[in-house]
Amino acid sequence: MDDRTSVLLNLKQLIELDQAAGIEFILREPAAVNATSAPTPVPAKAPVTARAQVAPAPIISAPKPAVPVTPTLSTATTANDTLASIAQEIADCKACRLCDGRRHTVPGEGLSTPILLFVGEGPDADEDAQGRPFVGAAGQLLDKMITAMGLSRDQVFLTNIIKCRTPGNRTPEIEEINACLPFLKRQIAVLKPSVICALGNTPLRALTGNDKAGITRMRGQQLSYNGITMIPTFDPSFLLRNPDAKKPCWEDLQTVLKVMGREPPKRG
Ligand code: URA
């Protein structure tokens, strides 16, 4: 055996040992190495003072599954993603059957550099009619809650897990959530909020990837979505049917404010 063959055999054995220990090898073309090592330009963003006051969130990291649990569309963000370009893709989307019954898609609206992002389940009839999130009765209650926090609608961003109305406002099915979730993930990557408030079971389950998560048990907890503090609370539609839940919901929103480094305005 010549020297070259012996070196190659040793290398092969080393790679097999590392692979057995779970170490992955990625072969890159020299051009690709250069591309990834070049500094990525950071897009300019309006300074948001309160961002700096946000307390670090406890990171709850789930072990990485060996295979994707649910097949979805690509969640890859591109450097060209903007809220407007994502909204256009949503308007053109035919990835699930909800496109057949919709009047308008509802991509979301609000400040493009929000500290706080509210994520609901999906549009109801009023939202479907106007193409805007949280404009019906539940939305009016959410507006009141946002005002009570000392904020306004245009200081936050409002969106949903799914961007089209379901027939009869039924809970979205897993295939519909999986088809739509990549849009929200790309919106979050563009918005870069410091805090996400998940409104109800559907956003809680979709963003934790845990279909056993329950809002009654987990509301008010400081969870993490990709390093962003996520605090779940009740869906305003649920609050309309269960007014007793408003008090615990307000406690959760106070936790949101605390994480944002703010206090609710004094009542008087
Ligand atoms: N409920 C939601 O979850 N989202 C809306 O946009 C309206 C009501």
Side-chain angles (χ1 to χ4, degrees), residues 31 147 152 191 199 204 207 212 231-232 241 262:
T147 306
S152 64
L191 291 164
L199 299 168
L204 170 64
L207 291 175
K212 302 278 182 298
I231 299 172
R241 298 188 303 271
R262 297 177 69 117

Side-chain angles (χ1 to χ4, degrees), residues 158-177:
L158 307 171
T159 191
N160 286 299
I161 293 292
I162 58 161
K163 315 299 191 191
C164 297
R165 185 189 181 197
T166 57
N169 300 336
R170 63 158 169 73
T171 304
E173 291 177 2
I174 193 76
E175 295 77 19
E176 294 155 357
I177 293 173

Side-chain angles (χ1 to χ4, degrees), residues 110-233:
L111 187 65
S112 59
T113 54
I115 304 169
L116 174 57
L117 168 67
F118 285 97
V119 181
E121 176 178 282
D124 290 343
D126 294 305
E127 290 76 19
D128 177 56
Q130 296 187 38
R132 298 180 54 213
F134 291 104
V135 289
Q140 281 160 25
L141 177 56
L142 181 61
D143 283 352
K144 284 189 190 155
M145 286 151 48
I146 292 171
T147 306
M149 293 170 83
L151 297 166
S152 64
R153 236 178 121 97
D154 53 12
Q155 286 179 299
V156 300
F157 197 90
L158 307 171
T159 191
N160 286 299
I161 293 292
I162 58 161
K163 315 299 191 191
C164 297
R165 185 189 181 197
T166 57
N169 300 336
R170 63 158 169 73
T171 304
E173 291 177 2
I174 193 76
E175 295 77 19
E176 294 155 357
I177 293 173
N178 284 338
C180 220
L181 197 54
F183 289 128
L184 175 62
K185 292 185 173 179
R186 288 166 56 195
Q187 288 177 313
I188 294 175
V190 173
L191 291 164
K192 298 186 181 58
S194 300
V195 186
I196 297 173
C197 183
L199 299 168
N201 270 327
T202 299
L204 170 64
R205 290 176 183 161
L207 291 175
T208 55
N210 175 4
D211 62 5
K212 302 278 182 298
I215 196 70
T216 307
R217 191 165 33 92
M218 295 178 72
R219 51 152 280 268
Q221 291 183 18
Q222 292 182 42
L223 311 174
S224 172
Y225 168 79
N226 276 357
I228 301 169
T229 304
M230 179 168 78
I231 299 172
T233 192

Side-chain angles (χ1 to χ4, degrees), residues 36-88:
T36 50
S37 57
T40 317
V42 179
K45 201 166 178 189
V48 183
T49 339
R51 263 186 208 289
Q53 299 168 356
V54 170
I59 308 292
I60 301 172
S61 48
K64 224 176 170 181
V67 285
V69 181
T70 43
T72 58
L73 301 176
S74 166
T75 55
T77 50
T78 72
N80 296 329
D81 265 353
T82 64
L83 293 175
S85 68
I86 299 168
Q88 185 58 54

